[in-house]
Amino acid sequence: MRTRRGRRLTRGLGPRRARGGVFAAAALTAAAALAGTGAGAATATAAPGDGVRDSAFAPVPDASAAAPAPGGPDLPVWRSRRAAGPERDEELRAVAARDSLDAWSVGYREDPSGVNVPVAERFDGARWNATGPLAHRPSGGAAANGKLDAVLPLSARDVWAVGSWNDAAAFQDRSLAEHFDGRRWQEVPLPAEAADRSAYPSALAGTGPDDLWTVGVTAQDRIGAPRPLAYHWNGRAWSSVATPEPGGDALLSGAAADGDGRVWAVGVVYDARGEGRPLVERWDGAAWLIVPTPHTAGRGESLESVAVLGPDDVWAVGGSSTPDGTNSPLTLHWDGRTWTEVAAPAVHADLHGVTAYGEHGLLAVGEQQGVATPAFTMRWDGAAWHAEPAATDAAGQGASLFGVAAVPHPLPGTPTAWAVGSTLPQFQPTWRPIVQGYGGVPVR
C-alpha cells in the first residue's frame, strides 16, 4: 500500500518524509498531531511546477538544472547508476561504503501483494548486486515483511542493517536488525519495547565489531509520545541504553562515531507549542548527554544526519521551516566547544544525509520543494556550501535522495561517493530506486 508522503517523525514517525505502506499513514497522522510550526508540520511534497515563495527567498529554480559550483574542469559530478533487482516499486533508504570495491545500500520493495519486504544491495566494484535480507515472519501466519533504514559494513563478513517490521496483529511496528556474515543474512534480536510501543531504529554508528550503536525513536501505538531510543551492541547482544529526558516529544534520526570512542546522535525535540528545534546528543563513553544547539525562534528546525571530520570538526544537517511550511537547508558545525549555524544555499529544500568527503570536504543530499526532480545536493569545500546538480540524465528524473556515503579509498574511474533514494515522493504509478555516483576520479 502506498501513501502520498508527508513530513514524518522518523521512518514511522518523523522529520523525514514517510516512505509508503502503513508506516507512511502513521507518519502523516503523527506529524499532524505533533507539530504546529515548522519541522513537525505535516506537508506533502509539492506538485511539479508549484511556485514556492516567502519573505526570505525569491522563487528558486530547480537546482538539478543549475551549473556546478566553481572548482575547475576536474570537479566531480553526479551520474546515475543502475540498481540491482527489478528496479520496480523499490526505495533505497541508506548507503555506506568501505572502499571502491565494497559498498552497501538498503531499503525496501513493495511485493506484488502490496507487502513491504527488505532490500539490501552490494556494489562489487563494477555493479550493484541484490543480496537476500530476511523479511521478518510474524507469528500467526501473517505475511513476512520489513524495511531497512540504515546499514554499516565493518568488513566484508560483518555488515549490519536495521529497520522495522509491521506487527499488524498488535497494530505496532517492531524493531528489526539483520547481520551479514559474508554468506547470508540472519535476523538478530533487538531489545523489546513495551507491547504498546512501536520502535524504529534509523541510524547505525560504531567503532568496531563489539561497539555499535543504533538510534531512533519509540512511540506509543506508532505515533504517540515519541521518545529517543539507543541500543548498543557489545559483540554478543543488543541492549537498551537510557537517553536523557529531552524536554518534550523527541526522536533521533542520525548517528556517527568520532573515532575517539565517542558517538554523536542528532534529531529533533518539540516544545509545548509543537515547534521543532534541533536535538544533539553525545555518548561520552559512559552516558548520553544533550549538547546545546542554536535555534531560531519561530522556525521549526530538525537534524537528520551527522558526519565527523575530527573530534573538533563535526557537521549536522537537516531542515528549517517557516510557519507556512516553506523549508530551507539547515547546517550546524561543532568546533570542539559549541555548535553554530553555517549559511547554506538559498534553496527550498531539506537535507537528509551528509558524509565527510576527502580531507576537508562534505557532501549533503536531500529534497527540494516544488520541482519535477526533487533531488538536491550540496558540497562543502572547506570554506562554504555550494549547491550542485544531482544527475540530470533520464535515469535521474523524478529522483529524491535520502542517503549519501563517501568512498574512503576511491580507485581511478570509480565513484568517490554514492547517493541513494527513489522516485516515490513524486507518486508515480511505478516508483523505482535511485542510485547516483559522485565523480570518477580520486579525491585529491
Side-chain angles (χ1 to χ4, degrees), residues 45-130:
T45 303
D50 286 356
V52 183
R53 304 168 185 262
D54 67 17
S55 59
F57 301 107
V60 178
D62 183 347
S64 66
D74 293 332
L75 183 69
V77 297
W78 290 100
R79 295 181 175 88
S80 295
R81 302 292 289 265
R82 184 169 182 175
E87 293 192 286
R88 180 183 177 91
D89 294 345
E90 177 181 319
E91 181 165 89
L92 296 173
R93 300 291 305 120
V95 62
R98 293 179 54 241
D99 54 40
S100 293
L101 304 178
D102 193 15
W104 288 84
S105 182
V106 298
Y108 70 96
R109 179 184 299 118
E110 186 180 87
D111 71 14
S113 66
V115 174
N116 292 328
V117 295
V119 166
E121 301 188 2
R122 186 178 193 178
F123 182 73
D124 62 6
R127 62 185 59 84
W128 287 91
N129 303 283

Side-chain angles (χ1 to χ4, degrees), residues 162-186:
V162 297
S164 57
W165 61 276
N166 176 22
D167 185 357
F171 300 99
Q172 305 291 340
D173 297 318
R174 310 298 186 187
S175 59
L176 175 66
E178 300 200 23
H179 180 259
F180 182 76
D181 64 5
R183 296 178 302 159
R184 63 189 180 95
W185 287 95
Q186 183 176 0

Side-chain angles (χ1 to χ4, degrees), residues 12-429:
L13 303 158
R16 300 193 187 179
R17 302 189 186 276
R19 272 81 173 175
V22 66
F23 309 101
L28 294 171
T29 306
L34 279 176
T37 302
T43 60
T45 303
D50 286 356
V52 183
R53 304 168 185 262
D54 67 17
S55 59
F57 301 107
V60 178
D62 183 347
S64 66
D74 293 332
L75 183 69
V77 297
W78 290 100
R79 295 181 175 88
S80 295
R81 302 292 289 265
R82 184 169 182 175
E87 293 192 286
R88 180 183 177 91
D89 294 345
E90 177 181 319
E91 181 165 89
L92 296 173
R93 300 291 305 120
V95 62
R98 293 179 54 241
D99 54 40
S100 293
L101 304 178
D102 193 15
W104 288 84
S105 182
V106 298
Y108 70 96
R109 179 184 299 118
E110 186 180 87
D111 71 14
S113 66
V115 174
N116 292 328
V117 295
V119 166
E121 301 188 2
R122 186 178 193 178
F123 182 73
D124 62 6
R127 62 185 59 84
W128 287 91
N129 303 283
T131 67
L134 301 172
H136 181 88
R137 186 167 297 281
S139 60
N145 70 88
K147 301 170 68 176
L148 296 175
D149 284 303
V151 62
L152 180 62
L154 300 172
S155 74
R157 299 176 179 175
D158 190 4
V159 182
W160 284 94
V162 297
S164 57
W165 61 276
N166 176 22
D167 185 357
F171 300 99
Q172 305 291 340
D173 297 318
R174 310 298 186 187
S175 59
L176 175 66
E178 300 200 23
H179 180 259
F180 182 76
D181 64 5
R183 296 178 302 159
R184 63 189 180 95
W185 287 95
Q186 183 176 0
E187 188 172 340
V188 180
L190 286 170
E193 299 291 339
D196 65 345
R197 289 194 73 83
S198 295
Y200 305 95
S202 60
L204 280 163
T207 61
D210 59 354
D211 184 22
L212 301 180
W213 289 91
T214 182
V215 301
V217 63
T218 69
Q220 187 172 14
D221 298 327
R222 291 194 174 118
I223 61 173
R227 293 293 183 272
L229 73 76
Y231 301 151
H232 182 254
W233 171 260
N234 63 6
R236 299 177 302 277
W238 289 94
S239 61
S240 181
V241 179
T243 60
E245 171 55 47
D249 292 335
L251 60 99
L252 297 172
S253 296
D258 69 2
D260 195 29
R262 307 297 189 264
V263 177
W264 290 95
V266 301
V268 60
V269 58
Y270 297 94
D271 64 20
R273 297 173 299 169
E275 183 175 292
R277 50 188 171 85
L279 174 63
V280 173
E281 298 189 9
R282 189 184 188 196
W283 174 258
D284 67 0
W288 285 98
L289 305 171
I290 293 178
V291 183
T293 56
H295 170 57
T296 302
R299 296 185 70 95
E301 298 177 326
S302 64
L303 298 172
E304 296 200 35
S305 185
V306 58
V308 178
L309 287 166
D312 59 352
D313 192 5
V314 183
W315 289 83
V317 304
S320 177
S321 179
T322 59
D324 67 1
T326 302
N327 302 331
S328 57
L330 175 66
T331 66
L332 302 183
H333 180 250
W334 169 258
D335 63 4
R337 299 179 304 276
T338 59
W339 285 95
T340 56
E341 184 173 352
V342 179
V347 177
H348 298 306
D350 292 309
L351 298 173
H352 298 321
V354 64
T355 186
Y357 165 70
E359 187 176 353
H360 302 294
L362 298 161
L363 292 169
V365 303
E367 294 174 276
Q368 298 179 83
Q369 292 177 306
V371 294
T373 295
F376 173 68
T377 77
M378 302 192 327
R379 178 179 57 88
W380 172 261
D381 63 7
W385 286 102
H386 303 277
E388 293 192 342
T392 57
D393 53 24
Q397 293 178 4
S400 290
L401 298 175
F402 309 133
V404 62
V407 177
H409 306 290
L411 297 174
T414 63
T416 55
W418 292 104
V420 299
S422 82
T423 61
L424 178 58
Q426 296 300 90
F427 207 53
Q428 299 298 322

